[in-house]
Amino acid sequence: MANRDNLDFLSASTIKGDKVVNREGEDLGKIEELMIDLHDGRIGYVVLSFGGFLGLGDKLFAIPWQAFKLRTHEHAFLLDIPKETLKKAEGFDKDNWPVTSHEWLSTVYGYYGYQPYWQTGVSEEAESQRMARTRGTSSERENPDFLSAGTLKGDKVVNADGEDIGKIEEFMIDLTDGRIAYVVLSFGGFLGLGDKLFGIPWQAFTLMPHEHAFLLDVPKDVLEKAEGFDKNNWPVTNREWLATVYSYYGYQPYWQTQRIESRPGNI
C-alpha cells in the first residue's frame, strides 16, 4: 500500500502522520490531514501541526501541497517556507476548522506565494465568474466543496440502483500533481468480489453529502470483469498501469487532459 521506493504515488494514510522538516533539517511537525477538493479530486491543502516549533504548537495550519517535497529515505516531507512566513501565518484551532471555500483558500495560497491550482490557465474574467458561483454555496457544510481524506475514507459506495456496493478503503495520491490518482474500493461481497480491492478513477464517483455516501456510476458487468488486487499485495502504481485502469472504466487520464489543455491554441 505504501511502497516508499515508489516516488510518484503514496496512499493518503501513509502521508498522514509523516514528519515535516525545513531546509536546515529541523523537525517542524507533522501532516495531520489532507483536504480534498471534491470537484477536482486534488489536495486543496495540507493540514500541518507544528508541534511546538516557533511556539505554534497549539494550532493547525493550512499550507498548499506545492510547498512540500517528499524526502523518500527519511519518511518525511520538506517544507520550503521561511521561518518568518510560518511564524506570521494565521492558523486555526484544532477544534474549530475553517469552512473551506475557494475564496478563503485563495488567500492561503497567496500568503505562501503560490497560484491556486484552479486558476492555472484560467482568465481573470472566468475566475471571477467561478468565485461568484461558489461564494454562496461553498460555506454550507451540507454541500461542501472540500472534505478531509479521513472523513471520506470508510464512506459507503452505492450504485445507480441504490444498492450498497462497498466502501472507500483508501486514496492513492499522485505526489507530483497533488491529486487523487485513484480510489481504492472494497466491494464487501457485492457480485462476489469481497476478497479483493479495486482501483477506480475519482471521476467515476459522485458525492451524496446527505447520505454520507458516494455514487459509483459504473455498470455491474464492468465491475464484474474488473481486475482487482489482493489486500496484501497492492500494485506498484505508475502512469502506464494507471492509464490501463482509466481506459477500462472509460475515463481519460488526468495528466493527458492537462497536457491537451496546456497546448498553445487551446482555450
Side-chain angles (χ1 to χ4, degrees):
M1 178 175 73
N3 186 352
R4 284 289 182 172
D5 294 325
N6 180 1
L7 303 181
D8 298 320
F9 301 86
L10 283 175
S11 68
S13 294
T14 299
I15 295 170
K16 284 169 62 176
D18 265 3
K19 72 177 180 178
V20 178
V21 299
N22 61 13
R23 286 206 172 273
E24 290 74 38
E26 296 173 293
D27 192 346
L28 301 183
K30 67 175 181 177
I31 293 175
E32 295 286 346
E33 189 55 91
L34 305 176
M35 290 297 290
I36 305 298
D37 184 323
L38 299 175
H39 173 71
D40 291 336
R42 293 178 183 264
I43 299 176
Y45 61 92
V46 177
V47 179
L48 180 63
S49 62
F50 281 108
F53 183 78
L54 299 175
L56 301 172
D58 58 339
K59 285 197 170 185
L60 298 176
F61 294 81
I63 299 179
W65 172 259
Q66 299 97 303
F68 296 87
K69 292 182 177 65
L70 178 65
R71 285 193 163 179
T72 312
H73 302 296
E74 300 175 40
H75 290 216
F77 281 84
L78 168 68
L79 179 60
D80 191 17
I81 293 176
K83 283 185 182 181
E84 274 306 306
T85 303
L86 294 176
K87 203 181 288 191
K88 296 175 183 175
E90 185 176 346
F92 53 93
D93 294 331
K94 294 180 179 181
D95 297 323
N96 187 25
W97 288 40
V99 178
T100 305
S101 66
H102 289 94
E103 187 174 20
W104 172 80
L105 204 49
S106 288
T107 65
V108 172
Y109 274 65
Y111 177 77
Y112 291 107
Y114 289 93
Q115 183 180 20
Y117 55 86
W118 62 90
Q119 292 178 0
T120 306
V122 178
S123 68
E124 188 175 333
E125 181 181 0
E127 175 57 19
S128 65
Q129 290 173 347
R130 172 180 175 138
M131 295 300 288
R133 286 198 307 272
T134 60
R135 193 171 292 123
T137 60
S138 59
S139 63
E140 297 176 6
R141 289 189 182 272
E142 62 270 20
N143 292 300
D145 289 332
F146 298 84
L147 284 174
S148 69
T151 297
L152 298 173
K153 187 177 173 182
D155 269 5
K156 72 176 181 179
V157 177
V158 300
N159 62 15
D161 299 321
E163 296 173 294
D164 192 344
I165 296 176
K167 69 175 181 176
I168 291 175
E169 295 287 345
E170 190 55 270
F171 301 99
M172 288 298 290
I173 305 298
D174 185 323
L175 300 178
T176 301
D177 288 343
R179 69 161 73 223
I180 297 173
Y182 63 92
V183 179
V184 180
L185 180 64
S186 63
F187 282 108
F190 182 78
L191 299 176
L193 301 172
D195 58 339
K196 285 197 171 186
L197 298 176
F198 295 80
I200 300 178
W202 170 260
Q203 299 97 305
F205 296 87
T206 302
L207 178 66
M208 303 171 74
H210 301 296
E211 300 177 38
H212 294 273
F214 281 86
L215 169 67
L216 178 60
D217 189 18
V218 175
K220 282 186 180 181
D221 62 325
V222 174
L223 294 177
E224 253 177 321
K225 296 172 184 175
E227 185 175 345
F229 52 92
D230 294 330
K231 294 180 180 181
N232 297 319
N233 188 24
W234 289 44
V236 176
T237 303
N238 55 46
R239 290 193 168 181
E240 185 178 11
W241 173 81
L242 209 48
T244 65
V245 172
Y246 274 67
S247 176
Y248 179 78
Y249 290 104
Y251 291 93
Q252 185 176 21
Y254 55 86
W255 62 90
Q256 293 178 4
T257 304
Q258 288 175 332
R259 285 206 299 271
I260 293 169
E261 289 176 347
S262 62
R263 288 176 189 160
N266 280 290
I267 300 175

